[in-house]
Amino acid sequence: MRKILIVGGGYAGFYTAKKLEKWLRRGEAQVTMVDPLPYMTYQPFLPEVAAGTIEPRHAVVAHRRHLKKTTVITAAVSKVDHAAKTAEITPAVGEPWTVDYDVLVMTAGAVSRTFPIPGVADEAIGLKNIEEAMAIRDRMTDNFAKASNLPPGPERDRLLTTVVVGGGFAGIEVFAELRSFASALVGSYHQLEMDDTHFHLIEAMGRIMPEVSLKSSLWVIKDLAQKGAEIHLNTQLASAVGGKIELSSGESFESDLIVWTAGVMANPVVRSTDLPLEERGRLRVQADLRVINDDGVVVDAWGAGDVTATPDLTGAGVGGFTVPNAQHAVRQGKLLARNLVADLRGETPREYIHKNLGAVAGLGLYDGVYQNGRLAVRGLPAWFMHRGYHGLAIPFWDRKVRVFGNWIFSFFLRRDLVGIPDRDVPRAAFERWASRPKA
């Protein structure tokens, strides 16, 4: 049997493994998938997790529950030597070890791309994984509780000021969802009013949401402005040291919740391989998802998803490549599995081509925007389209039922406003009161 090693268990890696289980014949290949996390995160739901409309565990899919024929290793791949066809695996606990393989599949995804702005690494929270979304929710609920005990002033303003950096889909969605979440939180505190809260979105470009038309993006700006949120276009974050926000426009204010959504980059694990990368650090692949270098195809090396620079044969991609989103990663993962099976059987792999089905975003409860070509839908209909699409797109019926259940219960029972700010320090109460031996 040939040994197939999949590096990364996100959209592309998970769907590659799942489809290989379906299409491989008994004894045809042995599949191993390695990822530091034991689950795949459905990232389009992270804004709603942060806003309390989806339970965090319902937005993730456990690897071992759904990959019955795949050997799942919860650890990090720290080095790949494709010339020798070996990979070094480093677990969270224990010594690293080396595995050999016959076919490599690189689907390690992307991580948040940041810049050396003072204070960002120390103060900001990203929005790439479920833990970050949970931390954002807990921080906001804790800040409101603290602010309700303070008189009007700078400290209360800092606690009630939320900043989102990045005006792409992820940034706008979490910005709008948090503003909607704040309106629900305010109703629980008679000491606070919505006018006490402050929401700032910082975008370096001259517009937001490049995936939709300019007209739709301007509508989103107007819609958010009417809700009391402020969007700073053509503005860069200059500093966030100690939570003090300094903008390139000269404006300055303080915030205790800074969410960073200003772009992604290929997982740095690809830099620890001998595989060819392009100038942005992404793995070079051709349209059939085989890795290539200047001399042609790199034998037995494949890649898909955000970690790769995959040609967009529709001509719509930025720079000629598919954009890093779930829509492409899922479809590339499925095609990659099909191509791996075809290659094992001496057949010709297919090229990846997928025309964008449009873009849909939620803007808080009962509000959204959808764009497909010249067709634009806004408001409540787009919100229903957003929930319908993503509710059906999350894999497996157990996840779909749980997510739709979240929405139904929230509609009748109202949004769950409980935060657990001490989640990261669960032993704090025990340590405080625990008896210790006398000196």
Side-chain angles (χ1 to χ4, degrees), residues 103-117:
V103 180
L104 177 70
V105 176
M106 186 62 68
T107 54
V111 299
S112 294
R113 180 191 64 184
T114 58
F115 306 101
I117 301 171

Side-chain angles (χ1 to χ4, degrees), residues 371-382:
Q371 184 83 44
N372 187 5
R374 295 184 178 181
L375 174 64
V377 181
R378 305 173 189 128
L380 183 62

Side-chain angles (χ1 to χ4, degrees), residues 366-388:
Y366 314 123
D367 202 2
V369 60
Y370 168 79
Q371 184 83 44
N372 187 5
R374 295 184 178 181
L375 174 64
V377 181
R378 305 173 189 128
L380 183 62
W383 180 79
F384 278 114
M385 294 170 70
H386 172 265
R387 288 206 160 179

Side-chain angles (χ1 to χ4, degrees), residues 10-17 19 23 40 42 44 107 287-289 303-306 308 310-312 314 322-340 350-359 389-390 392-395:
Y11 295 117
F14 181 86
Y15 276 96
T16 298
K19 292 303 180 181
W23 294 327
M40 181 204 83
Y42 190 74
T107 54
D288 63 6
L289 305 179
D306 296 355
T308 66
T310 305
D312 190 337
T314 68
T322 58
V323 297
N325 63 21
Q327 196 174 127
H328 286 302
V330 169
R331 287 169 174 81
Q332 287 174 13
K334 293 178 180 179
L335 177 66
L336 179 49
R338 187 178 295 277
N339 283 351
L340 283 169
R350 300 180 185 177
E351 293 186 329
Y352 177 75
I353 181 168
H354 170 67
K355 186 176 181 181
N356 197 330
L357 299 177
Y389 172 78
H390 286 298
L392 295 174
I394 190 170

Side-chain angles (χ1 to χ4, degrees), residues 258-280:
I258 306 167
V259 183
W260 181 274
T261 65
V264 297
M265 65 178 184
N267 193 317
V269 69
V270 294
R271 302 172 194 166
S272 300
T273 73
D274 55 350
L275 299 172
L277 309 179
E278 45 91 73
E279 59 271 13
R280 293 182 57 185

Side-chain angles (χ1 to χ4, degrees), residues 47-48 50-51 140 162 164 166 168-183 194 199-201 209 219-220 223-224 227 229 231 361-369 383 415:
E48 291 201 56
M140 176 167 276
T162 299
V164 174
F169 254 62
I172 290 296
E173 283 195 299
V174 73
F175 185 66
E177 289 288 352
L178 289 179
R179 194 268 167 208
S180 176
F181 187 35
S183 67
M194 199 60 200
F199 285 82
H200 298 270
L201 184 131
M209 304 174 75
W219 177 86
V220 172
D223 181 66
L224 291 171
K227 296 174 181 176
I231 295 180
L363 301 175
L365 285 179
Y366 314 123
D367 202 2
V369 60
W383 180 79
R415 190 201 308 254

